[in-house]
Amino acid sequence: IPKISSEGFWLLNENLDTVDVNDSLCKMLGYSRAEILGKKPVEFATEEGIEVFKKSTSMIRSTDHRSYEISLKHKAGKTVYAIFNATTIRNPKGNTTNSFAFVTDITENKKNELKIAKLNRLYSILYKTNEAILRIRDLKTLFDFICNIATYEGLFKMAWVGVLNEEKTFLVPLSFAGRIDGYLDNLQVSLSENLDGCRPEGSAVREKSSNYSNDIENDSSMIPWADEALKRGFKSVAAITILLDG
């Protein structure tokens, strides 16, 4: 049954080494059977998944059945979300000899859940921002509030609000929150159409619109600024223009 099952099958020995897998599991993770045999499942887990595996495998001898959600690493680098339904195999004396798990791929469902959660966070930010605009009159206080909401409730790594300098040629950071790590120290956001003006922030203000990049690492338009962003863990960016009195 494990060989022909549409679900993944993973069999371990008492040392947690892989002794058998089926084709469905190989397809799920993008590895050949030979690449998985002899290795421990934890070697195919994400950082978060490693902790889940440690907790679950520590219970193999004390429990007969375990069910848990975990994130794994596909050979291509993408994340695979899965449900493990694991069972302990014992000999007639009750000693653990092996354990196995049927693995269900829930990646698509998980992606949809994450999208919905992200949208809900964005709606919450918009609602609370609009509410703040009505009651907060001081701009610095308002912008501080927006940045804090974006990072604490929206879970963005960093948020900042800039204002135009007196000559209206550059954006100057006024409020910020989250992981800054010196990112704003040497920031140059011009409103001209030179290189510094082609940043998402500069383009958005110049065009009185919004601009974004969902994948800084692979977006050719972000090459001049990608290194500074990526080394701080910023993988995407969105710039939104705030208009005051038109």
Side-chain angles (χ1 to χ4, degrees), residues 159-225:
W160 69 279
V161 176
V163 295
L164 293 175
N165 63 354
E166 291 185 4
E167 294 79 16
K168 296 185 178 182
T169 55
F170 284 90
L171 273 181
V172 180
L174 178 65
S175 299
F176 49 86
R179 181 182 178 181
I180 306 299
D181 288 349
Y183 183 74
L184 301 177
D185 291 349
N186 299 308
L187 190 70
Q188 295 286 331
V189 181
S190 170
L191 266 64
S192 66
E193 296 188 10
N194 61 16
L195 181 62
D196 289 330
C198 291
R199 297 179 61 102
E201 303 94 323
S203 298
V205 174
R206 190 171 58 251
E207 298 166 7
K208 295 184 179 181
S209 62
S210 60
N211 202 347
Y212 64 90
S213 172
N214 282 324
D215 186 358
I216 292 176
E217 185 173 9
N218 297 301
D219 187 341
S220 59
S221 69
M222 291 295 297
I223 289 176
W225 316 285

Side-chain angles (χ1 to χ4, degrees), residues 81 109-119 121:
Y81 296 95
N109 289 340
K110 192 68 176 180
K111 285 181 178 179
N112 289 333
E113 287 179 13
L114 294 173
K115 285 180 181 178
I116 291 172
K118 184 176 182 179
L119 285 173
R121 291 198 303 271

Side-chain angles (χ1 to χ4, degrees), residues 10 17 31 36 38-46 50 53 73:
W10 211 324
D17 298 317
Y31 290 93
I36 300 177
K39 294 184 178 179
K40 301 182 188 299
V42 72
E43 296 179 56
F44 301 91
T46 63
I50 289 173
F53 264 139
K73 294 182 295 186

Side-chain angles (χ1 to χ4, degrees), residues 27-73:
K27 183 178 179 181
M28 190 185 304
L29 297 181
Y31 290 93
S32 68
R33 189 169 180 271
E35 290 175 309
I36 300 177
L37 293 181
K39 294 184 178 179
K40 301 182 188 299
V42 72
E43 296 179 56
F44 301 91
T46 63
E47 289 185 13
E48 296 83 0
I50 289 173
E51 297 305 314
V52 176
F53 264 139
K54 286 181 179 179
K55 181 179 179 180
S56 176
T57 53
S58 69
M59 300 168 62
I60 288 177
R61 288 181 172 79
S62 61
T63 61
D64 289 330
H65 302 287
R66 298 160 299 284
S67 181
Y68 51 93
E69 181 179 317
I70 193 167
S71 53
L72 305 170
K73 294 182 295 186

